[in-house]
Amino acid sequence: MGNEAVARGFLEAGGGFAAGYPGTPSTEVIETLADVAKEVGIYVEWSSNEKVAVEAAYGASLAGARSMATMKHVGLNVAADALMSIAYTGVRGGMLVFVANDPSMWSSQNEQDDRYYGLISYVPVLTPSDPQEAKDLTVLGLDLSEKFSHPFIMVSTTRVSHARGPVVLGSMRPPRTGGKFERARGLTLVPGVAREQREKLVSKWEDIRKTFNGLGQFNRVEGDGDVAIVSDGIAYSHVKEVLSEVGDVKAKLVKLSAPLPFPKGFMLDALSGVRRVLVVEELEPVVEGQLKQALAEERLQLEVHGKDLVGLVGELTLDRVRRAVRRFLGIPYEESKLYNVDLQVPPRPPTFCPGCPHRATFYALRRAVNRRRVKAIYSGDIGCYSLGLYEPFREQDIIIEMGGSIGTANGLARAAREQVPIAIIGDSTFFHAGIPGLVNAIYNRAPMLLLVLDNRTTAMTGEQPDPGSGVTAMGDEAPVISIEAIARGVGVEKVVTFDPFDIEGATNALADAIDYVVSERRPAVAVARRACALEAVRKARKQKIQVPLYQVVEDKCTACGICYNAFSCPAILVKDDKKAWIDPSLCTGCGVCAEICPYKAIVKVVQEGKGWGEVWM
């Protein structure tokens, strides 16, 4: 896998310190390194957010370690503040920021091209086209970073990070895990120093550009002709395949793996004798724009195409590239044939997993809001719980970014005074970016309910530990950071904790917290605590603990539909007579359905084993 290749490249380059925040499609880099960290003698951590990961990697670099920070594309928005300044100070040990972009937003809230961060920060960008290059460019990036004492960015995309392919391994250098920090003037960016560093930064950028002009195997030309196709990153693999399909075509293929700083000299040489150019790149026209600027500066009249043929929205697919290349080359193109398959796939609306404590929390929240007859505004966040957006809950009115739920609720608390803002956030996201919003709410006395859904892990990205889980990325025990203690520490007077599987208790706790917000016009915090169902059941099976099982008593079921309509557990199905039936292959034994059934028609038929309660904590 491409991300595993990045991890391998880090080890081959002598990397000694890696930090990241989980986010698809980048997560596997840190997971892979964490698995071998103790064996190879390096340090690996899940940081509380991407900014901290970059700062930590920077600190390690200043002490001589070779370091890397990893994240998904939106994570670089969080880390950008640190990155902009690190570009000015430079680094000591080689430092790479690995960012995985997510074109078409398969698992993200937006589609953005992080190559632009290279332009605005003056940090060079590398763009691998396959897993082999992902490994090789990781090595190159760390080597060049140390050579120029400058951070480097490597931007991957989903089809490189998650692609699998053969990778030729190199030897692993001894890890550089640290050394000695020495003071230097350029590290303290007060205005006078920053102005000096700015001049050095621009000069360094031009030196790196010269290196990129002669980067050999990574920036190269294949073929010949008076037309050219310029490709960057994964686009190269697509173009290569299309050209192999069309056969004998005289065209240059200009491959870029180091597009920023734009290798102007290399590109002008590559396009010598060329009349027409097509630029194929994923996401934004970063290379296309710079190429047009370079041609204009040199007063060269070349016909340049790019996004006008490739398109600007969504993931760069082989079909899109095939269509663009054929149109550019004047080769007839037939749209791919679509075949009708006579297969009726049952509708599967997005929903929480069976046994997910978030479902029970949203169910209880609805009851509490209805019981108190308040007009709630649900300010949501990024994580599994964003599924509360859908029926039957509809308890996510706004979702923008990590930690945005609380910040947005601050404004709603002032502007929508007749309503009650309820900010909903997960435990990992609370530690990531939620705390400053809570501090703001306390400081400015913004009346809101903050509901933290603590399932003891970063569930959406694959169960990575967070500061509340009591374990590190490398499997060591760690202090459990208390969400309640943080809330009380910043001044929250009303903090309640409840078990979401105790529906009545959860409803009462939430209603009590809402009462406080309404009567006192101050923030309150409610913490719903139950482990992720996937993790709990996995632990139970690993420890050979009997998982309980629930069934519907046919004679007692009145077909009221509360369990499959209002609670909507996917393990509960509706029969032709509208009575409920529990699929034993899906039931996780949480037992909430038995509690909410008003007719006691759901009963436990298999008792839980010893230790069942502990796996949910």
Side-chain angles (χ1 to χ4, degrees):
M1 180 188 283
N3 283 344
E4 294 169 337
V6 172
R8 173 70 190 196
F10 181 70
L11 298 177
E12 291 186 8
F17 183 103
Y21 187 80
T24 304
S26 70
T27 308
E28 295 83 1
V29 177
I30 291 294
E31 285 187 330
T32 304
L33 290 173
D35 284 345
V36 301
K38 292 181 178 177
E39 180 183 348
V40 300
I42 65 172
Y43 176 79
V44 181
E45 72 171 35
W46 286 120
S47 302
S48 54
N49 68 27
E50 298 85 356
K51 180 173 179 286
V52 173
V54 167
E55 291 162 345
Y58 171 64
S61 166
L62 291 183
R66 282 202 162 188
S67 66
M68 178 167 65
T70 75
M71 61 206 70
K72 67 181 298 180
H73 62 304
V74 290
L76 195 51
N77 302 335
V78 180
D81 197 14
L83 181 70
M84 298 295 161
S85 292
I86 291 170
Y88 276 60
T89 67
V91 300
R92 290 176 179 166
M95 177 180 164
L96 187 69
V97 178
F98 173 74
V99 190
N101 285 191
D102 184 18
S104 282
M105 299 161 281
W106 300 112
S107 183
S108 306
Q109 64 270 40
N110 67 30
E111 185 177 81
Q112 69 181 47
D113 191 331
D114 283 331
R115 292 177 300 171
Y116 276 127
Y117 275 108
L119 277 175
I120 62 174
S121 66
Y122 283 77
V123 175
V125 175
L126 305 173
T127 51
S129 62
D130 57 29
Q132 179 70 56
E133 275 202 346
K135 182 191 78 78
D136 295 341
L137 286 174
T138 301
V139 178
L140 179 72
L142 284 163
D143 285 348
L144 290 179
S145 169
E146 193 156 303
K147 176 183 176 182
F148 289 100
S149 300
H150 199 63
F152 271 54
I153 298 173
M154 186 160 80
V155 177
S156 174
T157 58
T158 307
R159 298 306 150 191
V160 174
S161 283
H162 286 175
R164 295 179 184 276
V167 173
V168 178
L169 303 183
S171 58
M172 288 170 46
R173 304 176 203 167
R176 291 254 305 280
T177 57
K180 183 181 179 182
F181 172 78
E182 294 182 356
R183 289 181 174 175
R185 173 180 169 83
L187 300 179
T188 51
L189 295 178
V190 293
V193 175
R195 292 187 195 104
E196 295 172 6
Q197 294 301 106
R198 170 75 177 178
E199 290 188 15
K200 294 178 182 176
L201 174 64
V202 173
S203 175
K204 195 183 293 184
W205 186 250
E206 292 306 316
D207 289 342
I208 296 171
R209 189 195 307 276
K210 292 174 186 173
T211 297
F212 280 10
N213 279 330
L215 213 50
Q217 70 179 102
F218 297 110
N219 287 344
R220 66 174 186 263
V221 180
E222 301 173 9
D224 201 359
D226 62 356
V227 298
I229 301 173
V230 176
S231 62
D232 178 40
I234 186 65
Y236 167 78
S237 300
H238 292 327
V239 173
K240 188 84 173 171
E241 185 166 343
V242 172
L243 290 179
S244 70
E245 292 173 357
V246 299
D248 187 21
V249 173
K250 283 187 67 64
K252 286 184 178 178
L253 174 53
V254 182
K255 179 188 189 308
L256 286 180
S257 295
L260 293 169
F262 186 67
K264 181 179 174 182
F266 160 77
M267 189 62 74
L268 293 178
D269 285 346
L271 299 183
S272 175
V274 168
R275 296 180 296 106
R276 302 171 64 239
V277 182
L278 171 66
V279 180
V280 184
E281 58 189 321
E282 194 144 48
L283 294 167
E284 303 296 324
V286 175
V287 172
E288 181 185 342
Q290 292 187 93
L291 174 60
K292 287 177 176 174
Q293 179 182 341
L295 294 174
E297 288 170 352
E298 300 300 321
R299 300 180 185 277
L300 295 175
Q301 299 293 322
L302 269 69
E303 180 182 330
V304 179
H305 294 275
K307 292 299 175 185
D308 58 330
L309 297 181
V310 178
L312 193 56
V313 178
E315 189 170 30
L316 194 65
T317 64
L318 184 60
D319 261 356
R320 277 179 62 186
V321 176
R322 182 181 290 121
R323 185 185 307 115
V325 170
R326 283 179 172 264
R327 285 179 62 187
F328 174 71
L329 296 175
I331 300 172
Y333 170 75
E334 290 185 12
E335 293 287 344
S336 298
K337 292 181 179 177
L338 298 177
Y339 296 93
N340 292 322
V341 178
D342 187 17
L343 179 65
Q344 300 300 317
V345 179
R348 294 182 57 198
T351 186
F352 296 109
C353 303
C356 176
H358 296 337
R359 171 183 291 100
T361 301
F362 278 113
Y363 185 83
L365 178 60
R366 174 71 72 191
R367 282 165 46 109
V369 167
N370 291 342
R371 186 178 293 179
R372 288 297 179 261
R373 299 180 183 277
V374 294
K375 296 177 181 176
I377 308 172
Y378 302 103
S379 183
D381 222 293
I382 305 296
C384 299
Y385 44 90
S386 60
L387 291 169
L389 166 69
Y390 299 107
E391 295 289 353
F393 304 109
R394 307 295 292 178
E395 291 169 73
Q396 299 275 289
D397 295 318
I398 306 155
I399 301 174
I400 50 172
E401 35 79 66
M402 298 276 281
S405 59
I406 310 176
T408 304
N410 270 273
L412 292 167
R414 294 296 173 196
R417 297 181 61 84
E418 302 303 316
Q419 296 168 280
V420 178
I422 300 177
I424 302 170
I425 193 169
D427 50 332
S428 184
T429 313
F430 176 78
F431 292 119
H432 176 280
I435 296 171
L438 178 59
V439 170
N440 189 76
I442 291 295
Y443 177 64
N444 292 297
R445 292 181 179 273
M448 71 169 78
L449 171 61
L450 169 58
L451 173 56
V452 184
L453 308 180
D454 181 5
N455 63 2
R456 323 300 293 150
T457 189
T458 314
M460 193 171 187
T461 49
E463 312 289 350
Q464 292 79 24
D466 64 38
S469 62
V471 65
T472 70
M474 297 194 291
D476 296 327
E477 286 189 16
V480 176
I481 309 299
S482 165
I483 294 168
E484 292 90 332
I486 290 174
R488 293 191 181 98
V490 300
V492 180
E493 297 169 348
K494 184 70 173 179
V495 180
V496 299
T497 303
F498 62 87
D499 175 1
F501 285 179
D502 173 10
I503 293 294
E504 189 57 28
T507 304
N508 291 336
L510 287 165
D512 184 33
I514 290 171
D515 284 344
Y516 176 86
V517 173
V518 172
S519 62
E520 302 298 324
R521 301 294 296 167
R522 291 181 180 177
V525 171
V527 181
R529 179 162 293 129
R530 271 277 177 177
C532 169
L534 296 177
E535 183 66 7
V537 174
R538 188 181 299 124
K539 280 184 182 177
R541 288 175 176 156
K542 189 175 181 180
Q543 299 172 24
K544 301 188 183 308
I545 297 171
Q546 178 62 55
V547 176
L549 178 65
Y550 287 80
Q551 283 186 357
V552 177
V553 179
E554 181 83 11
D555 293 342
K556 289 186 176 180
C557 180
T558 64
C560 67
I562 290 176
C563 59
Y564 55 75
N565 285 330
F567 190 59
S568 192
C569 175
I572 305 175
L573 307 179
V574 55
K575 299 195 300 183
D576 291 341
D577 60 1
K578 304 300 181 186
K579 291 189 177 184
W581 177 75
I582 296 177
D583 184 342
S585 68
L586 295 177
C587 178
T588 61
C590 72
V592 178
C593 56
E595 184 181 346
I596 65 170
C597 176
Y599 303 101
K600 306 300 179 187
I602 299 178
V603 298
K604 190 190 299 181
V605 295
V606 175
Q607 294 297 319
E608 65 271 24
K610 185 179 179 182
W612 174 245
E614 285 72 15
V615 301
W616 285 94
M617 293 292 125

